[in-house]
Amino acid sequence: MTYLKKFNIRIWTRIERMYSRQSYVIQQKAYVFTLLLLVWFLLEASSLYFNIASSMQATPRAMIFLDMIGLTAGIAAFILTLNGHYEFAANAICTFFFFVLAAFTFYRMNFFYSYGVNPAMILFVLSLAFSSFFAGRKVFLSLAIPTVLIHIWVIVLGSSRLPKDLAPQFFSYSVNSSVTILGILFFLYLASNVANRAMNKAEVETAKNRSL
């Protein structure tokens, strides 16, 4: 048996023990969430290493600072999840993602003024997809609404500052991105709603079977 397989079994055994009173769905979510945190840890550690190894002039100190915060947040969420606090850890990480992306949007507004495209919007949608699966419904909605507002704010602000030669590209970006974001949010909400109802019904059926 390989080391990775043994490590995987140890993670699942720990999750199964800490969430023994939770449904199997919650156990699986906590397990997958833990594995994703490990991947995140490796990515953040690699990014931090290369940013520190490069010259300070080539790498803004803000990027190194964000890498350090991201690495710390990932480790904290990993420890919390393994100790039975999956829901809190997932909600906190999803909220952390949102604030990082919001900060990145404001930081790169000059890029938007130059090209008429917000490079962080795809990451916003990916973050919302992540939160719809792992975080609670209230957290998902509390992040989805500000995301739409930031998108509208960027469009309104950009419409008054972009060069005229970028007007066609900006119009196309505004329409396509708005329709895409609203459509994805709608389907993510429906999928989350269906999953929660199915999970609640399964828990009720399980409780009935145990009482028999």
Side-chain angles (χ1 to χ4, degrees):
M1 186 180 295
T2 63
Y3 175 78
L4 288 178
K5 191 172 183 179
K6 289 181 180 180
F7 181 77
N8 188 37
I9 292 175
R10 290 182 63 182
I11 291 292
W12 170 247
T13 302
R14 174 79 177 186
I15 293 294
E16 195 174 27
R17 183 172 71 252
M18 296 304 300
Y19 299 90
S20 58
R21 295 184 179 181
Q22 300 284 350
S23 65
Y24 183 72
V25 174
I26 295 296
Q27 293 179 9
Q28 283 292 317
K29 283 188 175 183
Y31 171 68
V32 175
F33 183 68
T34 303
L35 296 183
L36 289 178
L37 287 175
L38 290 175
V39 175
W40 183 12
F41 172 80
L42 294 175
L43 292 176
E44 283 288 357
S46 300
S47 177
L48 181 61
Y49 172 78
F50 286 113
N51 283 336
I52 293 178
S54 63
S55 63
M56 296 303 295
Q57 293 181 352
T59 302
R61 294 186 179 183
M63 296 300 296
I64 296 177
F65 180 69
L66 285 177
D67 282 335
M68 294 178 65
I69 293 179
L71 189 62
T72 304
I75 294 174
F78 181 79
I79 295 174
L80 286 170
T81 304
L82 289 183
N83 285 277
H85 304 286
Y86 154 72
E87 293 182 354
F88 175 80
N91 292 337
I93 283 296
C94 292
T95 305
F96 171 77
F97 273 149
F98 171 80
F99 281 107
V100 169
L101 291 175
F104 179 77
T105 297
F106 299 137
Y107 178 72
R108 294 301 302 273
M109 283 304 293
N110 288 334
F111 180 92
F112 179 76
Y113 295 149
S114 300
Y115 299 97
V117 176
N118 180 11
M121 195 46 61
I122 296 178
L123 297 178
F124 266 115
V125 175
L126 181 62
S127 176
L128 289 175
F130 184 87
S131 64
S132 71
F133 184 81
F134 291 106
R137 186 189 305 178
K138 291 182 179 179
V139 173
F140 169 71
L141 291 176
S142 66
L143 298 180
I145 295 174
T147 297
V148 174
L149 294 178
I150 289 176
H151 180 64
I152 295 174
W153 176 79
V154 169
I155 290 177
V156 172
L157 193 63
S159 62
S160 61
R161 297 193 181 187
L162 282 174
K164 293 183 179 180
D165 58 329
L166 289 177
Q169 177 180 334
F170 174 72
F171 177 78
S172 177
Y173 163 78
S174 300
V175 173
N176 293 336
S177 60
S178 298
V179 172
T180 301
I181 290 172
L182 292 176
I184 290 177
L185 287 178
F186 176 72
F187 286 113
L188 285 177
Y189 177 77
L190 288 181
S192 178
N193 194 31
V194 171
N196 287 331
R197 288 184 179 180
M199 186 172 64
N200 292 334
K201 187 174 181 179
E203 290 179 352
V204 171
E205 293 296 331
T206 301
K208 288 181 179 180
N209 293 332
R210 289 177 178 174
S211 62
L212 296 178

